[in-house]
Amino acid sequence: MRLKLITKYTIVTSIVLLVTMALFAITNMSALKRTFLQEAVTNVDNLSETLIRTTHYQMLEDDRKRVYQMIQEVGTQKGIEHIRLINKEGAIIFSTERSEIGSQLDKNAEACNMCHAEEIPLTHASTMSRSRLFQNRRGEDVLGMAKGVYGVKGCYTAECHVHQENAQILGVLDVIVSLDEMNARVATYRNNVIILTFVLLLLVFLCLTLLTQKMVNQPVHRLLRHVREMARGNLRAQVERIPDDELGELASAFNDMAKTLDYTQEELIRSAQTLEARVEERTTENLAMQARLLRSEKLASLGELVAGIAHEINNPLTSVLMYASICLEDSRLPMALRGDMSTVLSETQRCAEIVRGLLDFSRESVAQKRPESVNRILDKTLTLVQSQAIFHNIQLVREFAEELPAVCLDPGKMEQVFMNLVMNAIQAMEGGGVLTVGTGFALREERVFVRVSDSGCGIPEENLEKIFDPFYTTKDHCGTGLGLSVSYGIVESHGGQIEVESRVGAGASFTVKLPAVLEKGNAVAGKEPTTGGPSPVLTG
């Protein structure tokens, strides 16, 4: 079972306090016991001195009966075990215990040992040296005090019992008292200390519990709830009621950490969303680039094949064309065969145009690029187209933007591209329609764009990905399927791109985007382009 912090803290504190109180009690009780013992020794010594002085005159008069009577009366007092008189030779001449009167004490006995411990007996000994602690026959603690009866002038001059003048000790008064009272006082003090210790422990336990609960447990529990909220993902959770101490600083640090984590999480979410958009955009770009690379590889491979085939076909085709022309000019040719020969000549010329287109498709000529205006090239292209009969039922709408930046391009090749786009748009409107040619500047991409739109039949969605493939055409009797492929290659060599939008029955729109040549201070780079015409073209 896991102990709580408050329990651990209280147990450790209580143990420390208990050990401290126990050491204090033991030390204090030892000192008190020594004090009580010294006091008892002093009292017994005073009692012995009082007995000796009280019986002094009776001894001088040799009134032994009176002396013994006084000693007997004193011995009956509470706490006195017994009193005895011992002469110089160690014989007990009187005792409150009648049984030991007349007995002889050994010099090594407890009552004599303090003076006869050495070879030369002591005549004077300190109070503590003359006291002894032992147990009586009943096993009770008692204190014995031996008091010397010293010889004075009145003793050896008295008529009753003359003794030698140089006799210093005449005998010993041995008083033995019980230590039950002292032991009882010490036990009472010990019990009081034990009770006081447990009362203090209880009070300390209660105080520590209340203070720890209020000052430690409650703040820690608030921090724990806050951490669990954060673990569940609620990073907006805050610790309330912050105390003004170290735990308060910790709670403030937790709040700051939660705010930082919340802000970081929001940043990560925004970054993830932005990253998804960037990944999707880059994926789209990569797919488009792969498609362009694949188309370029196909065109390059097909160009090599076409170049060889075109050269092989061109020589016999030239011979057929030459002999067909000679035959038509010969007057000997029957009239019935002239129609057939004209058909041979026209179809041969058509084959020659196909071969010429194949050679143009396969030929990798170096572009002669220079800064040019796409509006000027478009004007030249439209002027050439308007003179053709196929343009009679077509309404032309020009939406050219003014102040367009120049584009670095090959005018001849780009005129070929625009011509292909315009002719395809006209051919898609067999019964007539509206041809819209517009230009503009895409500010974000820094590209000039040309948009050619028609109101023709449109291109099915499944054919949009194939229209730039070589030899792919939706025309039944004309076209080689190389115009858009050649145009795609030319635009790509200029660093641009062609985009197509179409809907069946609503026409098609081809957009050519070319990188602009921007100079410092160019007004177009800082503002949206203006347009001339009924429908302004502003962005790509």
Side-chain angles (χ1 to χ4, degrees):
M1 181 178 179
R2 185 172 63 92
L3 295 178
K4 294 184 177 179
L5 177 62
I6 184 172
T7 306
K8 295 179 181 179
Y9 183 71
T10 304
I11 290 175
V12 171
T13 306
S14 300
I15 291 174
V16 172
L17 183 59
L18 181 61
V19 172
T20 303
M21 291 291 291
L23 292 176
F24 171 77
I26 292 172
T27 304
N28 199 14
M29 287 173 60
S30 297
L32 183 65
K33 190 171 183 178
R34 286 194 301 270
T35 302
F36 285 167
L37 183 60
Q38 189 173 8
E39 182 181 355
V41 169
T42 302
N43 292 335
V44 174
D45 188 57
N46 292 335
L47 176 61
S48 300
E49 184 69 23
T50 302
L51 278 175
I52 292 174
R53 290 184 180 276
T54 304
T55 60
H56 177 70
Y57 292 103
Q58 282 77 13
M59 287 184 180
L60 289 179
E61 296 176 355
D62 198 19
D63 190 357
R64 298 187 180 185
K65 183 178 180 181
R66 181 59 181 167
V67 172
Y68 296 159
Q69 185 178 6
M70 292 178 65
I71 292 175
Q72 186 69 37
E73 290 179 358
V74 172
T76 59
Q77 294 183 13
K78 182 180 179 181
I80 297 179
E81 284 287 315
H82 65 275
I83 303 174
R84 56 188 177 179
L85 278 172
I86 306 170
N87 62 15
K88 186 176 181 180
E89 286 73 21
I92 301 176
I93 60 176
F94 178 77
S95 175
T96 54
E97 291 186 3
R98 301 288 182 177
S99 60
E100 64 178 3
I101 295 176
S103 60
Q104 186 74 29
L105 291 180
D106 186 9
K107 291 182 179 180
N108 294 323
E110 293 178 350
C112 305
N113 189 45
M114 77 287 185
C115 294
H116 294 276
E118 299 179 3
E119 294 182 359
I120 302 175
L122 298 177
T123 56
H124 291 84
S126 63
T127 303
M128 295 305 296
S129 298
R130 291 184 284 107
S131 62
R132 62 192 187 279
L133 294 174
F134 60 97
Q135 290 184 340
N136 58 17
R137 290 187 295 269
R138 297 186 299 274
E140 298 173 350
D141 293 333
V142 293
L143 171 65
M145 172 64 70
K147 181 74 172 177
V149 180
Y150 295 95
V152 294
K153 183 178 180 181
C155 293
Y156 62 77
T157 58
E159 297 179 354
C160 61
H161 53 283
V162 179
H163 56 79
Q164 298 178 358
E165 183 178 351
N166 58 355
Q168 296 182 355
I169 298 179
L170 304 180
V172 175
L173 176 65
D174 188 26
V175 179
I176 300 174
V177 298
S178 174
L179 295 179
D180 289 345
E181 184 178 356
M182 184 193 75
N183 291 335
R185 293 169 63 186
V186 172
T188 301
Y189 178 78
R190 182 190 62 234
N191 295 335
N192 291 337
V193 169
I194 292 174
I195 294 173
L196 179 62
T197 299
F198 281 104
V199 171
L200 287 176
L201 283 176
L202 180 60
L203 292 176
V204 169
F205 179 82
L206 293 176
C207 293
L208 285 177
T209 301
L210 294 176
L211 291 177
T212 306
Q213 180 69 25
K214 183 177 181 181
M215 301 177 66
V216 178
N217 273 19
Q218 292 179 358
V220 169
H221 286 164
R222 287 197 293 269
L223 287 175
L224 184 59
R225 287 195 298 270
H226 178 250
V227 172
R228 287 173 177 169
E229 285 291 326
M230 292 176 61
R232 286 193 289 266
N234 183 15
L235 299 180
R236 299 183 183 275
Q238 295 288 306
V239 182
E240 304 294 339
R241 293 180 296 170
I242 299 176
D244 188 16
D245 53 17
E246 289 79 2
L247 287 175
E249 294 179 3
L250 181 61
S252 299
F254 268 103
N255 288 340
D256 295 339
M257 181 181 67
K259 292 178 182 178
T260 303
L261 290 176
D262 184 45
Y263 176 77
T264 304
Q265 186 183 51
E266 292 179 354
E267 287 293 319
L268 289 175
I269 293 174
R270 286 194 292 266
S271 298
Q273 293 173 349
T274 306
L275 181 62
E276 290 178 359
R278 288 201 299 265
V279 169
E280 185 176 355
E281 181 181 356
R282 185 59 60 86
T283 302
T284 304
E285 293 177 357
N286 290 339
L287 291 175
M289 185 178 297
Q290 289 177 1
R292 289 196 295 270
L293 289 174
L294 181 61
R295 187 176 292 111
S296 299
E297 291 177 358
K298 290 168 62 178
L299 291 176
S301 300
L302 190 58
E304 294 179 0
L305 177 64
V306 166
I309 295 174
H311 281 292
E312 294 296 329
I313 295 176
N314 193 44
N315 290 331
L317 192 62
T318 303
S319 299
V320 173
L321 183 61
M322 182 181 66
Y323 283 111
S325 299
I326 293 173
C327 289
L328 280 175
E329 293 176 359
D330 192 348
S331 58
R332 294 176 296 175
L333 182 67
M335 294 298 296
L337 296 177
R338 284 187 177 275
D340 294 335
M341 189 57 66
S342 297
T343 302
V344 170
L345 181 61
S346 62
E347 292 299 320
T348 304
Q349 289 175 341
R350 183 169 177 268
C351 289
E353 291 178 0
I354 293 174
V355 170
R356 191 180 303 110
L358 291 173
L359 290 174
D360 291 338
F361 174 77
S362 63
R363 188 179 297 115
E364 295 181 359
S365 59
V366 179
Q368 303 297 322
K369 297 181 181 180
R370 64 175 182 268
E372 282 287 346
S373 169
V374 294
N375 287 349
R376 188 185 66 78
I377 297 176
L378 280 172
D379 281 334
K380 182 179 178 181
T381 303
L382 293 175
T383 301
L384 293 175
V385 174
Q386 283 178 317
S387 62
Q388 299 185 21
I390 195 174
F391 199 79
H392 289 166
N393 297 325
I394 303 299
Q395 178 185 354
L396 176 63
V397 177
R398 298 171 183 258
E399 296 180 351
F400 292 176
E402 299 178 359
E403 300 180 0
L404 283 179
V407 177
C408 189
L409 49 79
D410 185 328
K413 290 183 175 295
M414 199 54 60
E415 184 179 340
Q416 180 183 352
V417 172
F418 295 154
M419 180 67 74
N420 283 333
L421 295 179
V422 171
M423 292 302 297
N424 286 341
I426 292 173
Q427 291 172 3
M429 298 181 292
E430 295 180 356
V434 178
L435 174 64
T436 303
V437 180
T439 61
F441 179 71
L443 186 61
R444 287 179 298 179
E445 301 177 10
E446 297 184 353
R447 289 175 178 255
V448 173
F449 65 86
V450 176
R451 183 173 292 128
V452 179
S453 304
D454 63 70
S455 59
C457 59
I459 304 172
E461 184 177 357
E462 62 271 14
N463 295 336
L464 287 177
E465 295 182 358
K466 305 175 184 178
I467 59 175
F468 294 110
D469 292 342
F471 302 109
Y472 179 80
T473 180
T474 58
K475 303 170 185 176
D476 297 331
H477 304 292
C478 62
T480 62
L482 293 173
L484 287 178
S485 298
V486 173
S487 299
Y488 185 91
I490 293 174
V491 172
E492 192 176 53
S493 67
H494 283 73
Q497 62 187 92
I498 299 180
E499 298 175 353
V500 59
E501 297 177 359
S502 179
R503 191 174 58 189
V504 177
S509 177
F510 287 82
T511 303
V512 177
K513 294 182 179 181
L514 299 170
V517 178
L518 298 178
E519 299 178 357
K520 291 183 179 180
N522 194 324
V524 178
K527 66 177 183 178
E528 298 291 342
T530 58
T531 61
S535 179
V537 181
L538 299 179
T539 58

